[in-house]
Amino acid sequence: MSGDNPKPPHSPESDFSKQWPSELSQYLNFDDDQWSYDDLDSFVSGHAFSHKTEAIEVGEVGGSSTHHEGSSSINDGDEHEKNEVKDRVAFKTKSEIEIMDDGFKWRKYGKKMVKNSPNPRNYYRCSVEGCSVKKVVERDKDDPRYVITTYVGTHTHPSYS
DNA sequence: CGCGTTTGACCGGCGC
DNA sequence: GCGCCGGTCAAACGCG
């Protein structure tokens, strides 16, 4: 099949990404019919449930001013650029389950309950050595039937069947 | 037997 | 200075 193209949601390019501010509410709602279900098909392959993924959000690149804007007082001549290069991509998926196989193996490394949400937040990490990609999954507090999956980082290991 | 999963505790940062 | 929040790691257990 076409060459196993797991095609993770984290595209190498963040075209629209650099345009978005660094807020955690930039979930774009695409239409259910305009999304490429081809890729999703691989996801669903093996899972019998109706889930629609239509939301993309990207954070900043190597920026630490994402916490709260406001005082980004840049002291003259004192610019510390941290090149962590962490791509942040958030997907809002309509599904009852939050764990879907996107073609990679994930190992849960923590569960936390955020105060702003009655639902717990799940932290996942790539099981592949050398791959420091992280994934955060949380249920929407406004729409429990929706799940927000945030991918942080980029995979460095070859495609895994 | 291996590892994936689970819960708790711990730490750091920042706010007040 | 202390409190709060979020995030990560560690140990243990269960399951495959």
Side-chain angles (χ1 to χ4, degrees), chain A residues 12-151:
Chain A
E13 282 68 319
S14 348
D15 308 310
F16 36 81
S17 65
K18 22 183 106 157
Q19 308 182 37
W20 306 101
S22 29
E23 264 303 329
L24 33 132
S25 306
Q26 316 287 317
Y27 307 112
L28 306 182
N29 295 275
F30 280 81
D31 216 312
D32 303 343
D33 301 309
Q34 58 178 266
W35 188 254
S36 321
Y37 269 75
D38 288 322
D39 295 333
L40 293 178
D41 197 38
S42 331
F43 293 20
V44 191
S45 168
H47 306 285
F49 52 78
S50 52
H51 72 304
K52 312 197 164 180
T53 312
E54 346 283 1
I56 297 142
E57 184 247 330
V58 217
E60 71 305 331
V61 185
S64 55
S65 45
T66 224
H67 259 53
H68 339 108
E69 40 39 60
S71 44
S72 1
S73 31
I74 301 164
N75 287 353
D76 44 84
D78 201 342
E79 43 197 281
H80 36 71
E81 311 175 7
K82 27 196 17 229
N83 285 339
E84 291 245 311
V85 196
K86 292 229 184 271
D87 290 297
R88 194 186 198 152
V89 185
F91 288 84
K92 197 162 140 190
T93 308
K94 181 182 186 203
S95 175
E96 24 186 308
I97 54 173
E98 58 283 302
I99 304 167
M100 10 185 178
D101 195 346
D102 54 0
F104 297 109
K105 219 155 158 176
W106 301 93
R107 154 187 146 256
K108 186 186 285 175
Y109 74 91
K111 210 189 296 181
K112 195 56 180 260
M113 262 231 212
V114 267
K115 264 189 152 188
N116 227 144
S117 260
N119 308 302
R121 190 175 271 170
N122 297 295
Y123 294 87
Y124 291 90
R125 201 173 161 182
C126 196
S127 239
V128 181
E129 190 272 314
C131 196
S132 53
V133 179
K134 286 186 282 182
K135 176 165 79 172
V136 182
V137 180
E138 186 190 343
R139 243 181 252 274
D140 193 310
K141 82 181 185 94
D142 205 37
D143 284 294
R145 43 212 138 222
Y146 280 84
V147 180
I148 298 171
T149 309
T150 308
Y151 289 84

